[in-house]
Amino acid sequence: MSATASGDHGRVVLLRHGETEWATTGRHTGTTDVPLTAVGEEQAVAAGTLLGELDLRDPLVLSSPRERARRTAQLAGLDIDRPWDALAEWDYGDYEGMTTPEIRQNVPHWTVWTHPCPNGETMDEIGTRADLVLSVALSALPERDVVLVGHGHFSRALLTRWTELPVSEGKRFAMSPAAYSVLGFEHSYRQIAVHNIHPSVRTGRRTS
């Protein structure tokens, strides 16, 4: 997807949800609906303060339908225009709820960026979904900024597709709990303007 001149002054903000208990223990959390921890709620409130510094232009706010994302948006002071399944986290299939060390007992060196998730989403399916989300965001940019509230791995997939990289390069990006990144343009070229800005509240140790 190429940037258009009409969208050069718009921004897409990716906001990851705050800490959850599963994330702090390294469990892959895709379709399971888990709540924020107390720390996660504090992070979400603090993220709202950080987002306020961006002076967003009449933002269109799209959110994953998962509770942890919607609650993060609410606590950050964002009014969700549309909960959208396309912003859900990676479907990990048989690996849902498992940690990487547990998976590696049967599949050495496994990562979501290098190996499949049996009965879950493929890398190509994630790329297609990310491209769909970004095409919708791009269509709104001439009139307003866009905030995409979602998850760790899928936000990293969005970062790769915005910069026209393969999804597997998501391994190069961090996305901390309640962190935001800003996607923008320079001379019609898409770029990552700001990345992984997160509140100074204790965070979990995983990015799933």
Side-chain angles (χ1 to χ4, degrees):
M1 293 177 291
S2 61
T4 61
S6 61
D8 275 8
H9 300 294
R11 294 170 293 176
V12 178
V13 178
L14 308 181
L15 175 64
R16 186 195 169 191
H17 65 76
E19 178 190 273
T20 68
E21 183 178 351
W22 275 32
T24 61
T25 55
R27 299 173 69 181
H28 285 81
T29 318
T31 57
T32 305
D33 220 350
V34 295
L36 299 178
T37 63
V39 169
E41 295 205 344
E42 291 177 20
Q43 292 169 342
V45 172
T49 300
L50 294 176
L51 291 175
E53 298 173 359
L54 296 178
D55 193 23
L56 295 171
R57 178 186 53 157
D58 185 26
L60 171 67
V61 181
L62 306 175
S63 173
S64 161
R66 302 289 178 255
E67 177 188 351
R68 57 195 183 275
R70 291 184 289 108
R71 180 63 172 158
T72 296
Q74 177 189 23
L75 291 172
L78 298 170
D79 294 323
I80 297 173
D81 292 287
R82 176 185 174 189
W84 192 16
D85 287 343
L87 278 166
E89 180 58 295
W90 204 305
D91 183 344
Y92 301 114
D94 295 351
Y95 295 153
E96 180 76 8
M98 296 180 66
T99 67
T100 296
E102 288 172 340
I103 297 168
R104 286 180 173 176
Q105 290 178 13
N106 294 314
V107 186
H109 312 297
W110 181 90
T111 75
V112 74
W113 309 109
T114 55
H115 293 70
C117 295
N119 296 310
E121 285 184 286
T122 67
M123 197 85 67
D124 286 345
E125 288 170 336
I126 289 294
T128 297
R129 188 151 63 87
D131 287 346
L132 169 64
V133 169
L134 293 176
S135 70
V136 170
L138 279 164
S139 69
L141 291 185
E143 302 299 330
R144 58 202 302 200
D145 292 325
V146 177
V147 180
L148 305 176
V149 187
H151 306 270
H153 280 146
F154 191 66
S155 291
R156 292 160 72 181
L158 290 169
L159 286 160
T160 65
R161 296 308 300 140
W162 182 263
T163 50
E164 301 175 297
L165 296 171
V167 170
S168 60
E169 289 303 295
K171 61 182 177 283
R172 312 288 181 187
F173 299 98
M175 200 70 185
S176 301
Y180 76 83
S181 295
V182 179
L183 313 180
F185 299 93
E186 184 178 60
H187 305 306
S188 297
Y189 293 105
R190 288 192 281 181
Q191 63 175 206
I192 299 171
V194 175
H195 178 56
N196 200 37
I197 305 301
H198 54 84
S200 56
V201 177
R202 179 177 62 85
T203 63
R205 60 186 180 85
R206 300 286 181 173
T207 58
S208 297

mmCIF file of all heavy atoms in Angstrom, residues 2-12 138 141 162-164 182-194:
data_model
loop_
_atom_site.group_PDB
_atom_site.id
_atom_site.type_symbol
_atom_site.label_atom_id
_atom_site.label_comp_id
_atom_site.label_asym_id
_atom_site.label_seq_id
_atom_site.Cartn_x
_atom_site.Cartn_y
_atom_site.Cartn_z
ATOM 1 N N SER A 2 0.612 2.145 -0.868
ATOM 2 C CA SER A 2 1.416 3.372 -0.926
ATOM 3 C C SER A 2 0.662 4.508 -0.269
ATOM 4 O O SER A 2 -0.561 4.577 -0.283
ATOM 5 C CB SER A 2 1.713 3.736 -2.380
ATOM 6 O OG SER A 2 0.527 3.971 -3.076
ATOM 7 N N ALA A 3 1.422 5.409 0.334
ATOM 8 C CA ALA A 3 0.809 6.572 0.972
ATOM 9 C C ALA A 3 0.330 7.542 -0.089
ATOM 10 O O ALA A 3 0.882 7.652 -1.167
ATOM 11 C CB ALA A 3 1.817 7.244 1.889
ATOM 12 N N THR A 4 -0.717 8.250 0.231
ATOM 13 C CA THR A 4 -1.199 9.298 -0.661
ATOM 14 C C THR A 4 -0.881 10.644 -0.060
ATOM 15 O O THR A 4 -0.773 10.809 1.140
ATOM 16 C CB THR A 4 -2.714 9.170 -0.859
ATOM 17 O OG1 THR A 4 -3.345 9.323 0.402
ATOM 18 C CG2 THR A 4 -3.089 7.827 -1.454
ATOM 19 N N ALA A 5 -0.762 11.628 -0.921
ATOM 20 C CA ALA A 5 -0.424 12.969 -0.438
ATOM 21 C C ALA A 5 -1.460 13.481 0.545
ATOM 22 O O ALA A 5 -1.149 14.178 1.501
ATOM 23 C CB ALA A 5 -0.305 13.924 -1.616
ATOM 24 N N SER A 6 -2.729 13.090 0.331
ATOM 25 C CA SER A 6 -3.787 13.590 1.200
ATOM 26 C C SER A 6 -3.656 13.075 2.623
ATOM 27 O O SER A 6 -4.204 13.645 3.548
ATOM 28 C CB SER A 6 -5.161 13.193 0.646
ATOM 29 O OG SER A 6 -5.278 11.788 0.584
ATOM 30 N N GLY A 7 -2.918 11.968 2.815
ATOM 31 C CA GLY A 7 -2.776 11.416 4.148
ATOM 32 C C GLY A 7 -1.485 11.768 4.833
ATOM 33 O O GLY A 7 -1.209 11.309 5.924
ATOM 34 N N ASP A 8 -0.653 12.592 4.202
ATOM 35 C CA ASP A 8 0.685 12.842 4.721
ATOM 36 C C ASP A 8 0.690 13.482 6.098
ATOM 37 O O ASP A 8 1.667 13.365 6.831
ATOM 38 C CB ASP A 8 1.475 13.729 3.750
ATOM 39 C CG ASP A 8 2.124 12.909 2.656
ATOM 40 O OD1 ASP A 8 1.826 11.704 2.581
ATOM 41 O OD2 ASP A 8 2.928 13.464 1.890
ATOM 42 N N HIS A 9 -0.357 14.178 6.477
ATOM 43 C CA HIS A 9 -0.353 14.871 7.752
ATOM 44 C C HIS A 9 -1.156 14.131 8.820
ATOM 45 O O HIS A 9 -1.314 14.628 9.925
ATOM 46 C CB HIS A 9 -0.880 16.294 7.581
ATOM 47 C CG HIS A 9 -0.064 17.107 6.619
ATOM 48 N ND1 HIS A 9 1.241 17.459 6.867
ATOM 49 C CD2 HIS A 9 -0.367 17.595 5.391
ATOM 50 C CE1 HIS A 9 1.719 18.148 5.828
ATOM 51 N NE2 HIS A 9 0.760 18.245 4.932
ATOM 52 N N GLY A 10 -1.663 12.961 8.471
ATOM 53 C CA GLY A 10 -2.390 12.167 9.441
ATOM 54 C C GLY A 10 -1.458 11.231 10.192
ATOM 55 O O GLY A 10 -0.361 10.932 9.742
ATOM 56 N N ARG A 11 -1.913 10.786 11.355
ATOM 57 C CA ARG A 11 -1.120 9.859 12.162
ATOM 58 C C ARG A 11 -1.975 8.659 12.562
ATOM 59 O O ARG A 11 -3.170 8.794 12.838
ATOM 60 C CB ARG A 11 -0.620 10.556 13.427
ATOM 61 C CG ARG A 11 0.374 11.669 13.172
ATOM 62 C CD ARG A 11 0.633 12.463 14.448
ATOM 63 N NE ARG A 11 -0.560 13.194 14.875
ATOM 64 C CZ ARG A 11 -0.640 13.907 16.002
ATOM 65 N NH1 ARG A 11 0.396 13.952 16.831
ATOM 66 N NH2 ARG A 11 -1.746 14.550 16.307
ATOM 67 N N VAL A 12 -1.336 7.513 12.604
ATOM 68 C CA VAL A 12 -1.952 6.305 13.148
ATOM 69 C C VAL A 12 -1.232 5.985 14.446
ATOM 70 O O VAL A 12 -0.006 5.833 14.459
ATOM 71 C CB VAL A 12 -1.845 5.118 12.178
ATOM 72 C CG1 VAL A 12 -2.458 3.862 12.809
ATOM 73 C CG2 VAL A 12 -2.518 5.425 10.848
ATOM 74 N N LEU A 138 -5.791 4.282 6.760
ATOM 75 C CA LEU A 138 -5.329 5.221 5.735
ATOM 76 C C LEU A 138 -6.482 6.009 5.122
ATOM 77 O O LEU A 138 -6.346 7.200 4.842
ATOM 78 C CB LEU A 138 -4.578 4.462 4.635
ATOM 79 C CG LEU A 138 -3.124 4.110 4.938
ATOM 80 C CD1 LEU A 138 -2.616 3.048 3.963
ATOM 81 C CD2 LEU A 138 -2.245 5.351 4.861
ATOM 82 N N LEU A 141 -7.329 9.048 7.326
ATOM 83 C CA LEU A 141 -6.310 10.033 7.672
ATOM 84 C C LEU A 141 -6.486 11.419 7.054
ATOM 85 O O LEU A 141 -6.072 12.405 7.681
ATOM 86 C CB LEU A 141 -4.916 9.495 7.326
ATOM 87 C CG LEU A 141 -4.421 8.336 8.196
ATOM 88 C CD1 LEU A 141 -2.989 7.988 7.832
ATOM 89 C CD2 LEU A 141 -4.528 8.669 9.674
ATOM 90 N N TRP A 162 3.127 -1.526 8.032
ATOM 91 C CA TRP A 162 3.177 -0.089 7.738
ATOM 92 C C TRP A 162 4.481 0.262 7.022
ATOM 93 O O TRP A 162 4.491 1.096 6.111
ATOM 94 C CB TRP A 162 3.049 0.709 9.025
ATOM 95 C CG TRP A 162 3.051 2.201 8.817
ATOM 96 C CD1 TRP A 162 4.116 3.045 8.933
ATOM 97 C CD2 TRP A 162 1.932 3.012 8.433
ATOM 98 N NE1 TRP A 162 3.739 4.338 8.656
ATOM 99 C CE2 TRP A 162 2.398 4.343 8.339
ATOM 100 C CE3 TRP A 162 0.585 2.738 8.174
ATOM 101 C CZ2 TRP A 162 1.561 5.400 7.988
ATOM 102 C CZ3 TRP A 162 -0.246 3.788 7.822
ATOM 103 C CH2 TRP A 162 0.244 5.104 7.729
ATOM 104 N N THR A 163 5.552 -0.364 7.429
ATOM 105 C CA THR A 163 6.865 -0.096 6.827
ATOM 106 C C THR A 163 7.167 -1.049 5.678
ATOM 107 O O THR A 163 8.303 -1.115 5.211
ATOM 108 C CB THR A 163 7.969 -0.202 7.891
ATOM 109 O OG1 THR A 163 7.845 -1.433 8.613
ATOM 110 C CG2 THR A 163 7.865 0.952 8.883
ATOM 111 N N GLU A 164 6.144 -1.788 5.234
ATOM 112 C CA GLU A 164 6.230 -2.667 4.062
ATOM 113 C C GLU A 164 7.285 -3.761 4.226
ATOM 114 O O GLU A 164 7.945 -4.160 3.276
ATOM 115 C CB GLU A 164 6.449 -1.833 2.800
ATOM 116 C CG GLU A 164 5.310 -0.841 2.594
ATOM 117 C CD GLU A 164 5.509 0.104 1.419
ATOM 118 O OE1 GLU A 164 6.472 0.895 1.463
ATOM 119 O OE2 GLU A 164 4.700 0.044 0.482
ATOM 120 N N VAL A 182 3.623 5.780 17.068
ATOM 121 C CA VAL A 182 2.978 6.675 16.104
ATOM 122 C C VAL A 182 3.504 6.372 14.713
ATOM 123 O O VAL A 182 4.719 6.409 14.476
ATOM 124 C CB VAL A 182 3.232 8.156 16.455
ATOM 125 C CG1 VAL A 182 2.566 9.064 15.416
ATOM 126 C CG2 VAL A 182 2.717 8.487 17.842
ATOM 127 N N LEU A 183 2.595 6.073 13.805
ATOM 128 C CA LEU A 183 2.923 5.829 12.406
ATOM 129 C C LEU A 183 2.567 7.075 11.615
ATOM 130 O O LEU A 183 1.464 7.602 11.745
ATOM 131 C CB LEU A 183 2.135 4.630 11.878
ATOM 132 C CG LEU A 183 2.132 3.379 12.765
ATOM 133 C CD1 LEU A 183 1.320 2.274 12.109
ATOM 134 C CD2 LEU A 183 3.548 2.920 13.062
ATOM 135 N N GLY A 184 3.503 7.535 10.807
ATOM 136 C CA GLY A 184 3.252 8.757 10.056
ATOM 137 C C GLY A 184 3.923 8.737 8.703
ATOM 138 O O GLY A 184 4.214 7.666 8.151
ATOM 139 N N PHE A 185 4.172 9.915 8.187
ATOM 140 C CA PHE A 185 4.735 10.061 6.851
ATOM 141 C C PHE A 185 5.825 11.126 6.833
ATOM 142 O O PHE A 185 5.814 12.057 7.641
ATOM 143 C CB PHE A 185 3.656 10.506 5.853
ATOM 144 C CG PHE A 185 2.515 9.552 5.699
ATOM 145 C CD1 PHE A 185 1.368 9.693 6.472
ATOM 146 C CD2 PHE A 185 2.581 8.519 4.777
ATOM 147 C CE1 PHE A 185 0.307 8.828 6.337
ATOM 148 C CE2 PHE A 185 1.516 7.644 4.629
ATOM 149 C CZ PHE A 185 0.377 7.793 5.405
ATOM 150 N N GLU A 186 6.723 10.979 5.896
ATOM 151 C CA GLU A 186 7.642 12.052 5.532
ATOM 152 C C GLU A 186 7.820 12.003 4.028
ATOM 153 O O GLU A 186 8.254 10.973 3.484
ATOM 154 C CB GLU A 186 8.999 11.898 6.223
ATOM 155 C CG GLU A 186 9.932 13.077 5.917
ATOM 156 C CD GLU A 186 11.264 12.940 6.636
ATOM 157 O OE1 GLU A 186 11.968 11.941 6.390
ATOM 158 O OE2 GLU A 186 11.585 13.837 7.429
ATOM 159 N N HIS A 187 7.468 13.098 3.338
ATOM 160 C CA HIS A 187 7.548 13.158 1.873
ATOM 161 C C HIS A 187 6.831 11.970 1.236
ATOM 162 O O HIS A 187 7.343 11.351 0.302
ATOM 163 C CB HIS A 187 9.001 13.207 1.413
ATOM 164 C CG HIS A 187 9.783 14.331 2.021
ATOM 165 N ND1 HIS A 187 9.384 15.648 1.954
ATOM 166 C CD2 HIS A 187 10.945 14.321 2.716
ATOM 167 C CE1 HIS A 187 10.268 16.409 2.585
ATOM 168 N NE2 HIS A 187 11.219 15.629 3.064
ATOM 169 N N SER A 188 5.663 11.646 1.767
ATOM 170 C CA SER A 188 4.797 10.569 1.274
ATOM 171 C C SER A 188 5.309 9.166 1.585
ATOM 172 O O SER A 188 4.667 8.182 1.209
ATOM 173 C CB SER A 188 4.552 10.697 -0.242
ATOM 174 O OG SER A 188 3.861 11.892 -0.529
ATOM 175 N N TYR A 189 6.454 9.051 2.233
ATOM 176 C CA TYR A 189 6.951 7.739 2.635
ATOM 177 C C TYR A 189 6.460 7.418 4.038
ATOM 178 O O TYR A 189 6.558 8.238 4.950
ATOM 179 C CB TYR A 189 8.483 7.692 2.607
ATOM 180 C CG TYR A 189 9.063 7.805 1.223
ATOM 181 C CD1 TYR A 189 9.650 8.991 0.795
ATOM 182 C CD2 TYR A 189 9.014 6.727 0.350
ATOM 183 C CE1 TYR A 189 10.183 9.106 -0.479
ATOM 184 C CE2 TYR A 189 9.547 6.826 -0.932
ATOM 185 C CZ TYR A 189 10.131 8.023 -1.341
ATOM 186 O OH TYR A 189 10.649 8.134 -2.604
ATOM 187 N N ARG A 190 5.979 6.200 4.213
ATOM 188 C CA ARG A 190 5.511 5.798 5.523
ATOM 189 C C ARG A 190 6.691 5.545 6.449
ATOM 190 O O ARG A 190 7.681 4.919 6.046
ATOM 191 C CB ARG A 190 4.627 4.561 5.409
ATOM 192 C CG ARG A 190 3.286 4.877 4.789
ATOM 193 C CD ARG A 190 2.318 3.740 4.949
ATOM 194 N NE ARG A 190 2.563 2.685 3.982
ATOM 195 C CZ ARG A 190 1.834 1.568 3.890
ATOM 196 N NH1 ARG A 190 0.852 1.371 4.736
ATOM 197 N NH2 ARG A 190 2.104 0.675 2.988
ATOM 198 N N GLN A 191 6.570 6.013 7.677
ATOM 199 C CA GLN A 191 7.656 5.830 8.631
ATOM 200 C C GLN A 191 7.078 5.640 10.027
ATOM 201 O O GLN A 191 5.915 5.948 10.287
ATOM 202 C CB GLN A 191 8.604 7.027 8.630
ATOM 203 C CG GLN A 191 7.966 8.321 9.065
ATOM 204 C CD GLN A 191 8.948 9.470 9.165
ATOM 205 O OE1 GLN A 191 8.721 10.403 9.924
ATOM 206 N NE2 GLN A 191 10.010 9.440 8.396
ATOM 207 N N ILE A 192 7.898 5.109 10.917
ATOM 208 C CA ILE A 192 7.547 5.021 12.329
ATOM 209 C C ILE A 192 8.103 6.272 12.985
ATOM 210 O O ILE A 192 9.317 6.430 13.135
ATOM 211 C CB ILE A 192 8.122 3.750 12.967
ATOM 212 C CG1 ILE A 192 7.554 2.513 12.265
ATOM 213 C CG2 ILE A 192 7.800 3.715 14.467
ATOM 214 C CD1 ILE A 192 8.216 1.216 12.682
ATOM 215 N N ALA A 193 7.218 7.184 13.354
ATOM 216 C CA ALA A 193 7.652 8.478 13.881
ATOM 217 C C ALA A 193 8.085 8.383 15.343
ATOM 218 O O ALA A 193 9.046 9.032 15.766
ATOM 219 C CB ALA A 193 6.526 9.496 13.729
ATOM 220 N N VAL A 194 7.353 7.597 16.119
ATOM 221 C CA VAL A 194 7.630 7.412 17.550
ATOM 222 C C VAL A 194 7.317 5.958 17.865
ATOM 223 O O VAL A 194 6.340 5.399 17.348
ATOM 224 C CB VAL A 194 6.751 8.345 18.419
ATOM 225 C CG1 VAL A 194 6.971 8.058 19.891
ATOM 226 C CG2 VAL A 194 7.024 9.807 18.114
#
